[in-house]
Amino acid sequence: MIKRLACFLTLLAGSSLQIHAQLKPNLDLIPKPTQISPGVGTFHWTKSTAIVASAMFAPVARLLADSGQTIGIVSPYKKPTAPVTIRIMSVSANALPDSNSYKLQIQENGITIAARTTAAAINGVQTLLQLRLLQPDMSQIPCVEIQDHPRFKYRGVMLDVSRHFFPVSYIKRYLDLMALYKINTFHWHLVDGAGWRLQIKQFPELTSHAAWRYGEGWKEWAANGKRYAHAGDANAYGGFYTQDDARDIVAYAAQRGITVIPEIEMPGHSEEVLAVYPQLSCSGTPYQNSEFCLGNDSTYSFLEKVLTEVMDIFPSQYIHIGGDEANKKAWKACPKCQERIRTAHLKDEHELQSYAVRRMEQFLKAHHRKLLGWDEILEGGLAPEATVMSWRGESGGITAAKAGHDVVMTPGAYCYFDHYQADPATQPEAQGGYLPVEKVYSYNPDPFQPGALESKHILGVQANIWTELIPNTSHLEYMTYPRLPALAEVAWTNKDQKDFADFQRRLQSHYLLLQRLYVNYCRPSYTVTIVPTINYDKKETTISLLSEQYQPVIRYTMDGTVPSQHSTLYTGPFSFTGSSKITAAVFRDTLLQGTPAVLMADYHLAIGKPVIYKEPYSKSYPAKKEATLTDGYLGTVSYGDGQWQGFDSHDMDVVVDMESVQTLHTVALNFMQLTAVGIYIPADVTVSLSNDGVTFGQEMVVKNDIHESQHQLTFKTFQFDLGGKQSRYIRVKAKNAQHGFLFSDEIIVH
Ligand code: ACM
């Protein structure tokens, strides 16, 4: 009986890392479980602790036995000699109605994990492993009862291994860490213009040539003309996974409850393929095109042969076919593509792309697989059963879900872990954008009203890690942690149970866990964020001081001096009228940490005054529309923060109406530059004055002194001395010499 139902694993050795400072039991799990009831006492996890599992959960038991720092299996089928055990039990639907949930019960005399499915049992094991890693003494596991189930079934991370290559050994570690946070999908971006990374036996040039490039760094490669090298060339950078490597990863992930979804990018982002098989491009010449020729039948036969090998390696229901950012220009001029548009009765190049995606869907469907693609696959009509990954905001996902398609939400503003996670001045270079851990945490992947039918199409959420600027594994961890735990809670924990303050409290415990696993996480910044709130009636500013530090000691001054250990201690928001220069810093053991933050909190003369736009602001970056430039709020480091207003490809030209003739001393306004996303500081700014709002005179010009090639995030204030002139209208013109974006946040008048 026992032999049929259970197998036994005996464990060797517990752990030895002892933390003496604090021995309180710790229940700070991330993601937060659905129900958690602390008990009394601890389970003592020793060398002789045995694991007992129902037959169907034997591989899950092995996962538990194989994990941990020093645990090994003596004999997989040895009868336990110790009275205390960890049981992983399969239970009936009566005992556990929700097949996705697990129960974890930790008592002094034993641990039980109950579940109905392997995925749920693995989640239970991961909770236990995380609890163990959170304890000051990892042999003492606190008694507790947990009932838990996920909010979303798709909880993903996409890793780009084309821009930079990461070896199999590291991918396994990455999967281990993902599993610990109950991330269950690894979207493997295996191919892109920067290198093909998967062995395809029918097309050996993909890995002997297209997997290698001249220049390890992204910029270095670009500066070298984006040339591909050959394996073995002394100057080649790159690498690829053999099919055996990929199978090994698939199996390793599966044991941890993680599905690997391969992405084979098409029709764009395919420079590397077309360099080695140029006959598949519109020009037929290497280094000419990024997109496959979609009028050429050999393109489809190539892709089908590749996908056949891919499906043989990856058992996932989904195969991701990319579909993003295809430049349709070459198709317009290509006789074969135009012929295909005619013969297939297509309207244009958008429909040509859809035609190709539909063909791929039919092919995948014939092999009992489903197609997943980036939201561009909506353009030109969505393939009948496609699932959409919404990355350009949420609108693609909303449209697809309304049309009855499944969706994975991965909008740039919340899910792109290649963006900065702290003040860019303190960070290694990242892609534009600002995504601190709190913003990740704030995301709700279901944009529909509670109870809406469309919600069932929101499969879940995914973090995307593009690696142009992430050259090695240590940097990859830095960009991933602690943002991934935040995303894990977004994906797993019921919306009503989410609470950032509580997450931040629990995160403090996870620093111990991450340190124990030698994870190179991004340390919480010491920089204070000074947040003003303006009360227009009282003409008052209220200041809040925030920090990523947990319960920090913050001191501040209001006179422009650097705070010392004797400066005012921040105990909560404070208010004042008029202007004040706030300087604030975190202190630790009486010492100032990092660089003090400074904010000119300034109730200036133009606050609340109307602004007339002679040229419109950008529809994409309106901020607070007409109120933006005189609302008293300055922008942060993020152009998308709702304070920075954009002006797209033309000059900024606005008039502030002071509503009466006033004595004017200064006018000042800020601009930012972030060339990666096309934002430039204007070539010059001109201020002129008028009393009737029609005829402007007394022009003053300030020229820009920041070069347009300065790619690091840069700010510039243009300041004008008006010397007490009398005027009602102030016109501000900023010259958009680069025809990109101008971004300004406020016109400050004194
Ligand atoms: C993407 O970020 N191009 C999907």
Side-chain angles (χ1 to χ4, degrees):
M1 175 75 175
I2 284 173
K3 260 198 180 144
R4 263 191 291 121
L5 284 181
C7 70
F8 301 98
L9 305 172
T10 305
L11 305 181
L12 254 188
S15 71
S16 53
L17 185 50
Q18 298 284 331
I19 303 291
H20 297 289
Q22 177 218 42
L23 286 168
K24 261 174 51 195
N26 188 302
L27 295 171
D28 293 343
L29 290 159
I30 295 176
K32 185 193 252 173
T34 317
Q35 274 181 40
I36 178 161
S37 318
V40 179
T42 57
F43 171 86
H44 190 46
W45 192 325
T46 70
K47 283 180 190 172
S48 54
T49 297
I51 300 175
V52 184
S54 302
M56 73 178 280
F57 292 153
V60 183
R62 183 167 292 279
L63 172 66
L64 185 57
D66 287 352
S67 65
Q69 285 61 55
T70 55
I71 298 172
I73 303 166
V74 170
S75 154
Y77 299 107
K78 202 174 151 199
K79 201 169 153 64
T81 48
V84 287
T85 54
I86 299 173
R87 293 166 198 278
I88 309 175
M89 308 308 292
S90 152
V91 295
S92 69
N94 284 340
L96 208 55
D98 177 1
S99 66
N100 296 315
S101 64
Y102 70 85
K103 271 192 210 174
L104 169 64
Q105 192 173 42
I106 302 177
Q107 296 177 317
E108 286 186 339
N109 63 356
I111 295 177
T112 307
I113 294 168
R116 286 171 52 198
T117 64
T118 298
I122 290 173
N123 287 325
V125 164
Q126 292 298 346
T127 298
L128 177 57
L129 288 173
Q130 198 187 87
L131 260 186
R132 185 167 178 269
L133 282 162
L134 287 170
Q135 302 318 311
D137 171 354
M138 287 197 285
S139 71
Q140 300 294 337
I141 316 296
C143 291
V144 66
E145 254 189 68
I146 290 171
Q147 273 224 42
D148 199 12
H149 62 86
R151 179 178 178 202
F152 293 106
K153 65 178 171 194
Y154 186 114
R155 305 180 297 278
V157 169
M158 184 224 70
L159 180 63
D160 165 16
V161 294
S162 173
R163 276 52 175 262
H164 281 98
F165 179 73
F166 307 101
V168 169
S169 55
Y170 187 77
I171 300 288
K172 288 184 175 175
R173 169 174 163 86
Y174 204 74
L175 291 165
D176 281 338
L177 292 168
M178 282 166 56
L180 204 51
Y181 288 100
K182 301 189 176 72
I183 300 294
N184 70 353
T185 308
F186 179 54
H187 168 179
W188 209 1
H189 188 79
L190 282 163
V191 307
D192 208 302
W196 183 282
R197 305 277 175 236
L198 179 68
Q199 179 188 26
I200 301 294
K201 292 183 177 161
Q202 294 169 87
F203 299 105
E205 291 279 303
L206 291 174
T207 44
S208 66
H209 191 4
W212 305 92
R213 67 178 188 236
Y214 291 112
E216 172 169 356
W218 175 254
K219 288 182 186 165
E220 187 188 352
W221 180 54
N224 287 341
K226 294 195 173 178
R227 294 278 141 170
Y228 304 95
H230 281 94
D233 183 321
N235 288 86
Y237 167 84
F240 65 93
Y241 307 99
T242 65
Q243 295 198 354
D244 285 345
D245 288 340
R247 285 196 174 87
D248 186 23
I249 290 294
V250 167
Y252 191 87
Q255 202 199 358
R256 283 148 187 79
I258 297 173
T259 302
V260 183
I261 298 179
E263 179 180 348
I264 302 299
E265 175 84 67
M266 64 186 81
H269 283 281
S270 299
E271 295 90 339
E272 85 291 21
V273 179
L274 304 175
V276 301
Y277 297 114
Q279 65 274 26
L280 304 177
S281 68
C282 293
S283 69
T285 314
Y287 298 107
Q288 286 278 321
N289 300 104
S290 314
E291 285 71 30
F292 284 99
C293 173
L294 296 184
N296 188 345
D297 277 326
S298 52
T299 292
Y300 300 96
S301 80
F302 168 84
L303 292 171
E304 289 178 4
K305 284 176 184 164
V306 167
L307 289 179
T308 301
E309 294 193 30
V310 166
M311 287 186 289
D312 194 47
I313 303 165
F314 297 93
S316 57
Q317 180 189 30
Y318 283 113
I319 303 291
H320 200 303
I321 56 88
D324 60 320
E325 299 181 310
N327 180 343
K328 297 164 176 119
K329 222 161 122 188
W331 303 337
K332 261 191 164 51
C334 168
K336 284 186 193 162
C337 288
Q338 291 305 313
E339 176 65 11
R340 186 61 52 119
I341 288 175
R342 269 191 301 281
T343 55
H345 310 294
L346 307 171
K347 211 168 69 205
D348 54 17
E349 290 71 28
H350 295 297
E351 290 200 358
L352 179 62
Q353 166 155 323
S354 283
Y355 163 86
V357 174
R358 279 169 210 259
R359 276 186 71 157
M360 288 304 125
E361 176 173 75
Q362 279 166 12
F363 180 75
L364 292 173
K365 211 175 144 186
H367 293 82
H368 313 291
R369 303 301 182 96
K370 285 167 94 167
L371 180 143
L372 181 57
W374 299 111
D375 59 44
E376 285 91 334
I377 64 171
L378 281 154
E379 293 161 3
L382 198 51
E385 293 171 36
T387 296
V388 172
M389 209 165 246
S390 191
W391 73 278
R392 296 176 303 174
E394 293 187 287
S395 61
I398 291 169
T399 305
K402 283 186 173 163
H405 289 259
D406 285 345
V407 169
V408 175
M409 283 297 191
T410 169
Y414 298 94
C415 296
Y416 271 47
F417 286 11
D418 53 342
H419 292 181
Y420 285 102
Q421 55 195 318
D423 180 351
T426 66
Q427 296 298 301
E429 190 184 357
Q431 299 285 13
Y434 179 56
L435 180 58
V437 71
E438 186 168 2
K439 186 157 184 201
V440 176
Y441 192 83
S442 73
Y443 186 49
N444 175 17
D446 182 351
F448 298 105
Q449 292 298 321
L453 291 174
E454 289 92 346
S455 293
K456 75 169 193 295
H457 290 298
I458 306 295
L459 302 181
V461 60
Q462 174 172 288
N464 290 337
I465 309 178
W466 303 102
T467 59
E468 285 92 339
L469 299 172
I470 303 179
N472 56 53
T473 56
S474 158
H475 196 146
L476 174 59
E477 277 177 11
Y478 182 84
M479 299 306 276
T480 308
Y481 292 91
R483 289 188 285 193
L484 193 61
L487 187 96
E489 193 146 310
V490 168
W492 180 278
T493 303
N494 209 314
K495 190 163 139 262
D496 305 338
Q497 286 181 276
K498 277 176 64 196
D499 170 359
F500 183 70
D502 184 59
F503 171 80
Q504 206 190 19
R505 182 189 61 73
R506 281 176 285 127
L507 188 57
Q508 307 313 306
S509 301
H510 284 252
Y511 293 129
L512 171 64
L513 179 153
L514 295 171
Q515 286 163 12
R516 279 179 163 157
L517 298 176
Y518 310 105
V519 175
N520 180 36
Y521 64 88
C522 176
R523 270 65 184 168
S525 170
Y526 284 113
T527 305
V528 173
T529 305
I530 305 175
V531 181
T533 311
I534 295 170
N535 183 322
Y536 298 102
D537 294 335
K538 292 191 187 165
K539 295 194 186 314
E540 211 178 71
T541 305
T542 301
I543 295 287
S544 303
L545 302 178
L546 308 178
S547 167
E548 285 180 16
Q549 297 293 319
Y550 187 61
Q551 298 179 338
V553 172
I554 299 176
R555 294 182 185 278
Y556 66 93
T557 63
M558 296 178 70
D559 58 3
T561 58
V562 173
S564 74
Q565 56 164 316
H566 306 297
S567 299
T568 313
L569 179 69
Y570 177 71
T571 53
F574 57 94
S575 304
F576 55 90
T577 52
S579 299
S580 181
K581 189 174 185 179
I582 310 289
T583 310
V586 170
F587 282 74
R588 169 165 273 176
D589 304 331
T590 74
L591 289 176
L592 188 153
Q593 306 293 314
T595 311
V598 180
L599 181 88
M600 194 60 218
D602 194 7
Y603 207 100
H604 61 86
L605 291 178
I607 287 181
K609 302 297 184 204
V611 176
I612 302 143
Y613 287 77
K614 302 230 168 230
E615 296 281 354
Y617 50 78
S618 153
K619 284 202 179 70
S620 306
Y621 297 97
K624 295 184 194 150
K625 302 186 177 166
E626 280 74 9
T628 308
L629 297 174
T630 52
D631 66 355
Y633 290 99
L634 300 180
T636 62
V637 293
S638 168
Y639 63 86
D641 67 1
Q643 305 297 350
W644 289 100
Q645 186 166 64
F647 296 85
D648 190 356
S649 41
H650 55 72
D651 293 351
M652 168 183 173
D653 189 357
V654 298
V655 176
V656 182
D657 178 1
M658 299 299 289
E659 295 181 315
S660 63
V661 173
Q662 302 206 16
T663 306
L664 305 174
H665 295 285
T666 57
V667 170
L669 69 166
N670 306 314
F671 288 88
M672 73 152 67
Q673 181 154 305
L674 187 61
T675 59
V677 287
I679 302 173
Y680 294 91
I681 290 172
D684 58 52
V685 179
T686 306
V687 163
S688 53
L689 303 176
S690 164
N691 278 336
D692 60 7
V694 180
T695 316
F696 285 84
Q698 311 182 56
E699 244 182 45
M700 282 160 284
V701 183
V702 175
K703 288 200 179 314
N704 178 25
D705 55 4
I706 309 276
H707 200 265
E708 70 262 16
S709 65
Q710 162 63 339
H711 66 261
Q712 229 133 37
L713 177 65
T714 307
F715 300 90
K716 180 173 172 65
T717 304
F718 290 78
Q719 168 113 13
F720 300 83
D721 187 357
L722 305 189
K725 289 194 176 89
Q726 301 277 315
S727 189
R728 171 169 170 178
Y729 296 94
I730 306 165
R731 183 171 184 172
V732 179
K733 285 175 80 169
K735 191 183 283 172
N736 192 341
Q738 303 301 322
H739 302 288
F741 274 104
L742 302 179
F743 268 77
S744 188
D745 56 350
E746 185 79 0
I747 299 174
I748 302 158
V749 180
H750 282 286

